[in-house]
Amino acid sequence: MIFRQLFDKISSTYTYLIASEKGREALIIDPVLENVERYIQLLKEIDLKLVKVIDTHIHADHISGIAELRDQTNCVTIMGDKTAADVVSMQVSDEELIKIDGLELRALFTPGHTSESFSFLMKDRIFTGDTLLIRGTGRTDFQNGNPRDSYNSIFNKLLKLPEGTLVYPAHDYKGEMVSTILEEKKFNPRLQVKSVNEYIEIMNNLNLPNPKLMDVAVPNNLKLGIDLNKQKINNGIEPKEFNKFLSEKNNIVIDLREQSEIDKNGKINNSITVPFPEIGDYLNNNKHKLHNKKILFYCAIGQRSTLAVQISKSYKYNNCLHLIGGLKKWKLEGF
Ligand SMILES: [Fe+2]
């Protein structure tokens, strides 16, 4: 496995790059916008293809690099399913697996610092976002934070992991880089409490100033997605119209989601599955089959399908359309 811990000096954010030696597919957790060129450079230098990028939660202290990475690499953007950020092309639920070639991460819903925070477990290590920090815990006084949820997430979920599990947080302000569950259990001052009420008492009396960038970062991070207008301009069609095309003969319907999403939310009849990261190869290898066909793409909320239309054009497929708002909108409109 390839593993890099990258640091942003301004916001003291840790960004993680994970990849499999064999498949050369990479995943990035909590990227910072200002450092995107550095990530891209590093990916090139060690010969990796970025396929997925995750934000553990909506950050208040920096603007996420998730959208810029999507625009530059066509990677899938992932957050937990409680988030209000519109950038997310694939929402994961508690316990859902996120796969890249040769590696998998388990999503764990760990609210408290924010109401939508997730942690991600990969074998011997956990990426805790701001839920659990080294000798600290993420503040719970904004973004629907809640000290009781924080306590439950930490005590009933994270501290239940094997004690040797490595803890990699999203921030550290003192230069600490990694800890373990055992160390935090024993030495994290906020966790030396006898009851949930004692923890709540501590968290409610931290009296911290708001992060400097909060008023800029939060609204920005909520709006990094490919909105419905942009989806429409890229050969997007509304669900009703999409359905008309479904009944036509000379078409091929491609579902760009992953198996875990299909298992969770079902699919449109007669569609074939080509997970978004594989779409370039699929188009390249099936020129005969796709010749003269109309391609109809769809995904969860229309972001991956917008990108798929753009990719198709680069392979000279011009007869392709995609479902605006994805399966979510299609269902909302009663189909
Ligand atoms: Fe945070």
Side-chain angles (χ1 to χ4, degrees):
M1 183 182 71
I2 296 161
F3 179 73
R4 294 283 192 285
Q5 184 175 27
L6 305 160
F7 186 59
D8 178 65
K9 276 190 208 152
I10 297 164
S11 61
S12 297
T13 302
Y14 284 125
T15 299
Y16 299 94
L17 169 71
I18 303 159
S20 63
E21 247 355 299
K22 223 175 104 210
R24 310 309 289 178
E25 287 191 348
L27 177 150
I28 288 180
I29 300 176
D30 287 332
V32 175
L33 178 62
E34 284 78 6
N35 303 334
V36 163
E37 292 313 318
R38 181 175 152 215
Y39 310 142
I40 299 277
Q41 176 77 18
L42 179 60
L43 289 161
K44 262 192 211 143
E45 284 166 352
I46 52 180
D47 186 29
L48 297 173
K49 181 182 183 229
L50 184 66
V51 290
K52 288 181 177 159
V53 60
I54 300 176
D55 265 344
T56 50
H57 63 289
I58 295 168
H59 295 282
D61 57 348
H62 66 267
I63 296 175
S64 168
I66 196 168
E68 186 60 29
L69 283 169
R70 172 202 64 212
D71 292 345
Q72 290 204 30
T73 69
N74 282 328
C75 61
V76 177
T77 48
I78 301 176
M79 284 181 84
D81 58 5
K82 311 288 187 293
T83 193
D86 71 353
V87 70
V88 188
S89 60
M90 178 179 171
Q91 294 195 334
V92 290
S93 327
D94 188 33
E95 294 289 335
E96 188 167 334
L97 293 178
I98 297 166
K99 295 181 182 175
I100 60 170
D101 193 12
L103 292 172
E104 60 182 37
L105 277 81
R106 183 177 295 278
L108 297 176
F109 181 41
T110 52
H113 168 59
T114 68
S115 56
E116 41 83 74
S117 290
F118 268 68
S119 299
F120 295 89
L121 177 67
M122 188 182 68
K123 289 191 208 157
D124 64 343
R125 62 199 65 195
I126 179 133
F127 304 96
T128 54
D130 291 354
T131 302
L132 176 61
L133 304 172
I134 299 174
R135 308 299 189 264
T137 59
R139 61 193 295 176
T140 54
D141 57 335
F142 56 65
Q143 289 182 280
N144 301 320
N146 178 312
R148 186 176 297 275
D149 290 346
S150 166
Y151 179 92
N152 283 330
S153 294
I154 294 170
F155 279 86
N156 298 328
K157 243 176 187 167
L158 299 180
L159 297 189
K160 296 270 157 75
L161 294 168
E163 292 188 326
T165 307
L166 299 167
V167 174
Y168 283 104
H171 292 289
D172 193 87
Y173 304 95
K174 292 184 298 249
E176 302 287 345
M177 296 171 79
V178 59
S179 180
T180 65
I181 291 294
L182 178 64
E183 265 180 57
E184 293 313 308
K185 228 184 236 179
K186 276 180 142 173
F187 305 116
N188 189 321
R190 293 208 189 141
L191 306 185
Q192 311 309 310
V193 289
K194 297 209 169 52
S195 66
V196 59
N197 289 334
E198 199 184 330
Y199 181 78
I200 293 171
E201 182 72 19
I202 295 176
M203 296 309 284
N204 284 345
N205 289 292
L206 295 177
N207 300 320
L208 299 167
N210 280 344
K212 270 180 256 150
L213 276 176
M214 183 162 144
D215 296 334
V216 182
V218 173
N220 245 291
N221 286 335
L222 284 167
K223 293 212 106 355
L224 294 168
I226 302 172
D227 64 25
L228 295 181
N229 254 336
K230 271 189 244 166
Q231 292 188 21
K232 190 168 185 176
I233 297 164
N234 285 283
N235 298 12
I237 47 173
E238 295 290 339
K240 213 171 163 185
E241 212 183 331
F242 191 83
N243 273 7
K244 279 189 208 146
F245 283 116
L246 283 179
S247 55
E248 281 182 6
K249 269 194 185 125
N250 198 32
N251 66 28
I252 180 155
V253 187
I254 299 182
D255 184 345
L256 297 159
R257 296 169 306 150
E258 316 231 334
Q259 195 56 47
S260 60
E261 299 175 273
I262 297 169
D263 294 344
K264 207 165 53 175
N265 297 316
K267 57 180 255 182
I268 295 177
N269 275 342
N270 299 326
S271 54
I272 62 160
T273 302
V274 182
F276 176 73
E278 293 161 28
I279 194 66
D281 287 343
Y282 176 84
L283 294 169
N284 198 27
N285 297 333
N286 289 281
K287 288 202 169 124
H288 260 300
K289 198 165 130 194
L290 298 171
H291 184 67
N292 282 335
K293 287 235 163 101
K294 186 191 294 297
I295 306 177
L296 301 172
F297 291 113
Y298 75 95
C299 60
I301 55 164
Q303 305 207 21
R304 278 170 282 183
S305 57
T306 303
L307 298 176
V309 166
Q310 292 174 358
I311 293 169
S312 302
K313 285 179 184 164
S314 73
Y315 283 100
K316 307 260 184 297
Y317 292 103
N318 295 316
N319 195 7
C320 40
L321 299 166
H322 82 104
L323 177 60
I324 295 174
L327 196 64
K328 189 174 172 194
K329 192 166 192 287
W330 192 78
K331 281 187 176 175
L332 277 174
E333 297 195 4
F335 300 117

